[in-house]
Amino acid sequence: MENTNTQNRRSFLKSSMLAGGGLMLSFSWLANAQAADKMEAMNLPDQWNELNGYIKITPDNVIKIICPNPEFGQNVMTSLPMMVAEELDVDWKNVVVEMGPHDNVKLGMQFTGGSNSVRMYWKPLRNAGASARQMLIEAAAQTWGVPASEITTQAGVLSHPSGKSAKYGEMVSKAATIPVPKEVQLKTPKDFSIVSHSKKNTEGVKVVTGKPLFGIDYKVDGMLIAMIQHPPAFGMKLKSFDASQALKMPGIKDIFSFKLYDDGFEQGGFDTRTSNEMIAIVGKSTWEVMNARKKIKAQWEPTGDIKETMMGRGGKREVTIPGRLETTSDQLALMAEYAKKPAQQLRKDGDPETAFKNAALVIERTYNAPFLAHNTMEPMNFFAHVSEDKALVAGPLQAPGWMEPTLSKILNLPADKIEIQMTRMGGGFGRRAYGQYIYEAARISQRLKAPIKLIYTREDDMTYGIYRPMYTATYRAALDANKNLIAFHVKGGGIPENPIHANRFPAGAVDNYLAEAWEIPSNITIGAFRAPRSNFNAAAEQS
């Protein structure tokens, strides 16, 4: 038996956690729900009967399951609802899936990354389905005047040995009044009928037929288009600009400079920026804004070193961002210089120096990787409509919970006045876990008091984006006369972080082991790119 909670339904829907994942179930989906094509085709009623935050059922026995996690092609909008449907015991063809909005308190982290979605939601979503199923059984038992233990379910139908039967939709109104069960029995894998079977992607038809799914598709009446002129290189800042000619261009509404973060702003662990002050160009269409941006005459100057306060997993820290202008040739020269110097010792076992000195054979290889531009198929974009007392933002992002605190601070709005809607991502894999493009959109909308969509051109993202760091690592293996591994040494570095892990294999598997690392500070913005250090190391080690 799996414990879910011991509270009544009202308090459960407000604040209870499901066992296993600590994810809240309560959420009102009616306020801003947009019917999907499948729902429209079924001519569904406006009102759904809600059993918990993940499940709603119509009297016509159509089941809506809410997906909590952002989708960028890993198919969580199919896999996560399958878990709910499995324990709810419904016919998959009667299920419609909807992307939920952001609510970390009630729906958990809502973070897509690190291959965590399925394992993070495995128990909570199954418990949600099983709890709802039990409530439907209790409703049928009360209606028919029979013991709940005598009622079985299959494919969304409740049955009793007497011959009585009913679809879930016929019992859902009464089930919504039933107290949430204290305990629910989850299925064993041998009884799975949905999770263990291949199901078509719930979004597949929409994707291949070009239905509006992505942030780039998001539109509202009166929406303006915004683009940004960033500095031409890292390590530069805005000195002055002349937008007089650009303002005369067709369709242009406004051009202004703005700061992303206020002076002294304490950045979160996933806040980043290529520069703090930039120029916004706002107009009626993408083409008009792109053409006007070319007419801006801007003067840029070196930033000098910048000191910032960052919050992260290790707590608050002061960082100094160097102001130098960097080139690939300079970076390679610096890395070659650092590789020859003594480095920070991360782990040492035994006496690797002596083992290498006495080795019959030493094998050595060096592997290098340049900065990698993390460009997604869908250009970076985000919608924002900020007014004096509330904000709506919508678009492709991987971790809404990481963005909300910063949005709240820069907009000076409480978190409960900020609504974050998530669209399908046209690629992410780390890039959309960093929120400067969201903050930029919100700042521009707040200034104009109008709905805007910020769009990066491909050139923008290539030049002012987030990059996987530049890495190098030298691997040395010491072998004895019988070709047995007697010592292992790895030394590596990078800009601005190193790729070396203290305890990565073969650490602990060889008596004599040494891991060393060094780093070179940089002003280039970096970010996770499919586990940046790990995938570099894996390629090098396996080579």
Side-chain angles (χ1 to χ4, degrees):
M1 302 288 285
E2 298 282 346
N3 291 323
T4 50
N5 65 76
T6 58
Q7 299 174 321
N8 63 34
R9 174 176 160 75
R10 179 172 294 277
S11 60
F12 171 78
L13 286 177
K14 285 183 177 179
S15 62
S16 71
M17 289 186 178
L18 284 183
L23 301 180
M24 302 292 188
L25 280 187
S26 172
F27 203 91
S28 172
W29 304 100
L30 297 175
N32 296 297
Q34 296 179 350
D37 291 343
K38 184 174 180 180
M39 299 179 203
E40 294 172 349
M42 291 178 175
N43 192 27
L44 300 182
D46 294 332
Q47 183 70 41
W48 296 78
N49 291 280
E50 180 176 327
L51 294 180
N52 58 48
Y54 296 112
I55 302 168
K56 291 181 181 179
I57 301 175
T58 72
D60 293 335
N61 211 43
V62 177
I63 292 89
K64 180 194 288 186
I65 298 178
I66 306 302
C67 178
N69 267 22
E71 170 71 78
F72 56 66
Q74 80 283 32
N75 295 327
V76 292
M77 285 194 70
T78 304
S79 59
L80 298 188
M82 284 173 67
M83 299 177 198
V84 180
E86 181 66 71
E87 297 292 346
L88 185 58
D89 202 4
V90 295
D91 190 335
W92 182 250
K93 73 173 183 292
N94 289 333
V95 171
V96 292
V97 177
E98 183 177 292
M99 182 67 240
H102 165 62
D103 194 308
N104 266 8
V105 173
K106 298 170 182 176
L107 292 177
M109 282 188 65
Q110 294 184 273
F111 165 63
T112 294
S115 303
N116 274 318
S117 293
V118 169
R119 52 187 168 180
M120 179 169 62
Y121 280 96
W122 177 245
K123 279 192 175 180
L125 290 182
R126 292 177 65 204
N127 279 328
S131 295
R133 173 178 170 272
Q134 188 61 39
M135 291 158 68
L136 288 159
I137 289 175
E138 293 290 345
Q142 292 179 20
T143 301
W144 297 334
V146 300
S149 60
E150 295 179 357
I151 296 175
T152 58
T153 62
Q154 184 177 10
V157 176
L158 298 141
S159 301
H160 185 262
S162 65
K164 291 184 173 68
S165 67
K167 295 180 179 180
Y168 283 179
E170 298 173 57
M171 295 292 174
V172 69
S173 295
K174 187 172 185 64
T177 68
I178 300 291
V180 177
K182 296 179 180 180
E183 294 182 333
V184 289
Q185 180 71 50
L186 297 182
K187 290 183 178 181
T188 59
K190 68 180 177 61
D191 295 324
F192 287 166
S193 61
I194 295 177
V195 167
S196 60
H197 292 72
S198 177
K199 300 297 178 185
K200 289 184 178 180
N201 186 331
T202 59
E203 300 266 277
V205 172
K206 298 174 190 174
V207 171
V208 300
T209 57
K211 299 294 183 182
L213 289 171
F214 301 91
I216 205 75
D217 300 320
Y218 196 95
K219 295 178 182 177
V220 301
D221 291 340
M223 183 181 77
L224 299 172
I225 298 296
M227 288 186 173
I228 289 176
Q229 182 64 57
H230 294 87
F234 291 96
M236 302 195 78
K237 64 180 180 179
L238 182 64
K239 182 178 181 181
S240 63
F241 73 99
D242 178 1
S244 56
Q245 294 302 310
L247 284 165
K248 297 176 183 178
M249 299 287 285
I252 299 306
K253 295 294 185 181
D254 202 357
I255 298 175
F256 56 91
S257 64
F258 70 98
K259 286 186 177 181
L260 186 61
Y261 304 133
D262 295 330
D263 293 340
F265 183 81
E266 207 170 82
Q267 296 179 52
F270 282 79
D271 294 342
T272 187
R273 60 182 179 188
T274 56
S275 59
N276 196 48
E277 189 172 8
M278 56 208 81
I279 305 167
I281 307 95
V282 186
K284 291 183 178 180
S285 71
T286 304
W287 182 246
E288 289 170 324
V289 171
M290 287 175 67
N291 284 328
R293 186 168 66 167
K294 297 174 184 177
K295 299 291 184 180
I296 296 174
K297 298 177 181 178
Q299 300 292 321
W300 309 91
E301 61 184 355
T303 61
D305 291 354
I306 299 172
K307 290 188 177 181
E308 293 187 334
T309 302
M310 301 287 296
M311 290 294 295
R313 282 172 289 184
K316 186 186 299 187
R317 68 188 192 280
E318 297 290 330
V319 297
T320 299
I321 301 174
R324 67 179 183 273
L325 297 179
E326 300 184 33
T327 68
T328 301
S329 58
D330 290 342
Q331 290 166 342
L332 290 172
L334 273 173
M335 291 180 76
E337 178 185 336
Y338 270 68
K340 296 175 182 177
K341 296 179 179 179
Q344 178 188 4
Q345 182 176 295
L346 302 180
R347 174 170 174 164
K348 183 178 181 180
D349 298 339
D351 186 359
E353 293 86 356
T354 300
F356 272 98
K357 183 178 179 181
N358 297 331
L361 177 65
V362 174
I363 301 173
E364 178 177 322
R365 295 290 186 274
T366 297
Y367 298 88
N368 303 291
F371 280 105
L372 297 181
H374 199 340
N375 301 127
T376 56
M377 291 184 70
E378 176 193 16
M380 302 305 294
N381 69 90
F382 221 79
F383 170 86
H385 190 184
V386 181
S387 59
E388 289 186 4
D389 59 351
K390 63 181 179 179
L392 166 65
V393 296
L397 74 165
Q398 290 179 232
W402 296 347
M403 309 299 108
E404 186 183 70
T406 298
L407 271 176
S408 179
K409 286 191 285 186
I410 68 173
L411 297 177
N412 196 26
L413 286 173
D416 62 2
K417 298 297 182 182
I418 298 174
E419 179 182 354
I420 303 177
Q421 294 283 348
M422 292 175 284
T423 63
R424 187 180 181 93
M425 289 176 273
F429 310 106
R431 175 62 181 95
R432 287 187 159 108
Y434 301 87
Q436 92 285 354
Y437 62 111
I438 303 170
Y439 312 147
E440 290 169 349
R443 284 285 202 192
I444 295 169
S445 176
Q446 187 178 47
R447 165 76 175 256
L448 291 176
K449 297 181 173 61
I452 68 100
K453 184 195 287 184
L454 173 68
I455 298 176
Y456 279 27
T457 64
R458 185 60 73 201
E459 293 87 347
D460 290 339
D461 202 23
M462 289 286 287
T463 311
Y464 322 113
I466 307 295
Y467 305 89
R468 198 186 79 169
M470 193 173 187
Y471 290 138
T472 186
T474 296
Y475 292 85
R476 299 172 65 229
L479 308 180
D480 64 15
N482 296 318
K483 302 297 176 67
N484 295 310
L485 179 66
I486 59 173
F488 190 89
H489 176 209
V490 57
K491 180 180 179 182
I495 304 176
E497 69 169 27
N498 77 76
I500 307 303
H501 297 260
N503 302 318
R504 192 176 177 95
F505 184 81
V510 58
D511 292 337
N512 303 294
Y513 177 86
L514 178 61
E516 301 176 289
W518 48 266
E519 296 175 344
I520 300 173
S522 173
N523 51 41
I524 294 176
T525 49
I526 63 166
F529 192 161
R530 288 182 174 269
R533 292 194 293 167
S534 291
N535 57 28
F536 168 75
N537 285 334
E541 291 163 357
Q542 292 173 28
S543 296

